[in-house]
Amino acid sequence: MVHEGRSEARLSQSSYVEDLHRQAGAGAGADITALLAPRLAHFAAVARTEHVTRAAAELGMPQSTLSRSLVRLEEDLGVDLFARRGRTVSLTAAGRTFLASVERALGEVERAADEVRADADPGAGKVGFGFLHTMGSETVPELIREFRVDHPRVRFSLVQNYGEWMLERLRTGELDLCLTSPVPDAPDLVARRLDEQRLRLVVPSDHRLASRRRIRLAEAAEEAFVTLEPAYGLRRITDDLCAEAGFRPRVAFEGEEAETLRGLVAAGLGVALLPPPAFARPGVVELTVTAPRAVREIGVAWLDGHPDTPPVAAFKKFLLTRRGRLLA
């Protein structure tokens, strides 16, 4: 088979790529990947069968269309991939080199397609779910246990972190949903309040206030506080509550996890505003704060306009039914 209008002299691979780059820089040529992608499966089918007619039948396309596709592919690459004898073909040395990479690329595409189809499967798909550290020991395991009663094969990719970190992962698509506090107010996100959680003033068991059951937060104005780092939602809530009580907390230690802060309190290093623990911690006393009202709202957030797969939609619906009893 003779290719009309094609030069006998072939560009070397390096000079051809350089030429493509020059064209791209001048705005005169299309991206090489976009040019080649539709023809790679055609090339692989012909390479596998070594026969244009059989490959066309396998692909469900006219033989003439397949032949033109191969010619265009060789023209785009600037190399002969096949030696032709009628409708029978065999790979050239360049064709064999190219086939090895094409098969790997097509295999990766097929694996990626299988993966995204599996993740979107209504019965056995995947949900990327983020939540606060303080919700990891009881709340989230119980939520998933209850959800899986009706959706036993749905899989979860679970991430624990602070609120702002999780919101950024919603924006990048790494998470589908997250439980966070405070409930975010951002134009690109949708958030729904689900519940609220009382915060307690945690003091060492030998502290001057340890004999109390209730306290006004202003009574702790002179205490050293141990808190989460500034990026954490609970830290912002602590700062706001102290400001409402008329003082700025004197921060002695900052951490990344509530139970670590309880340990610091037990060691006599300060006091802390924290949600209730999953299990009682020795060495500390937890006081009810009567003023100001010390609570944090817990909400679920997702990216506005982002289409949900069936398993994500089902879990979102489930979470919204837990409004008012998320922490029960």
Side-chain angles (χ1 to χ4, degrees), residues 83-290:
R84 291 163 172 83
R85 295 181 298 278
R87 291 187 176 88
T88 301
V89 297
S90 60
L91 288 170
T92 63
R96 286 191 295 273
T97 299
F98 190 56
L99 177 63
S101 294
V102 166
E103 288 179 331
R104 286 195 298 271
L106 293 176
E108 285 299 316
V109 171
E110 184 60 31
R111 281 190 288 275
D114 289 343
E115 183 176 342
V116 296
R117 283 193 293 261
D119 288 348
D121 183 278
K126 185 174 73 173
V127 179
F129 184 43
F131 51 93
L132 301 168
H133 288 284
T134 51
M135 309 192 76
S137 59
E138 287 190 328
T139 301
V140 168
E142 179 60 24
L143 285 173
I144 293 175
R145 185 201 65 77
E146 186 175 339
F147 176 74
R148 282 170 64 93
V149 170
D150 294 323
H151 304 83
R153 296 189 299 127
V154 168
R155 297 168 291 124
F156 284 84
S157 175
L158 301 176
V159 175
Q160 291 176 267
N161 219 304
Y162 63 94
E164 287 299 324
W165 186 95
M166 291 190 294
L167 298 184
E168 286 306 308
R169 270 57 189 180
L170 289 179
R171 294 182 172 105
T172 61
E174 296 172 60
L175 290 177
D176 300 304
L177 302 164
C178 71
L179 290 180
T180 188
S181 178
V183 180
D185 180 14
D188 59 337
L189 299 175
V190 180
R192 297 288 183 269
R193 181 186 181 278
L194 296 180
D195 215 335
E196 68 177 26
Q197 188 175 46
R198 286 194 171 275
L199 302 179
R200 300 169 177 176
L201 185 71
V202 185
V203 302
S205 56
D206 59 355
H207 193 272
R208 64 180 180 85
L209 298 171
S211 61
R212 302 272 297 274
R213 295 183 62 186
R214 295 177 176 82
I215 188 172
R216 290 178 296 106
L217 189 57
E219 296 179 72
E222 300 304 317
E223 301 291 333
F225 275 72
V226 297
T227 71
L228 295 177
E229 293 178 349
Y232 287 68
L234 184 57
R235 168 62 179 275
R236 296 198 298 275
I237 293 170
T238 296
D239 290 346
D240 289 345
L241 288 171
C242 290
E244 190 175 346
F247 70 96
R248 181 176 180 178
R250 179 167 56 89
V251 177
F253 295 92
E254 295 177 333
E256 297 181 341
E257 202 273 323
E259 288 311 302
T260 299
L261 299 189
R262 270 194 176 81
L264 294 173
V265 173
L269 300 175
V271 302
L273 274 173
L274 296 173
F279 305 100
R281 174 72 182 252
V284 300
V285 174
E286 310 218 357
L287 309 178
T288 298
V289 178
T290 59

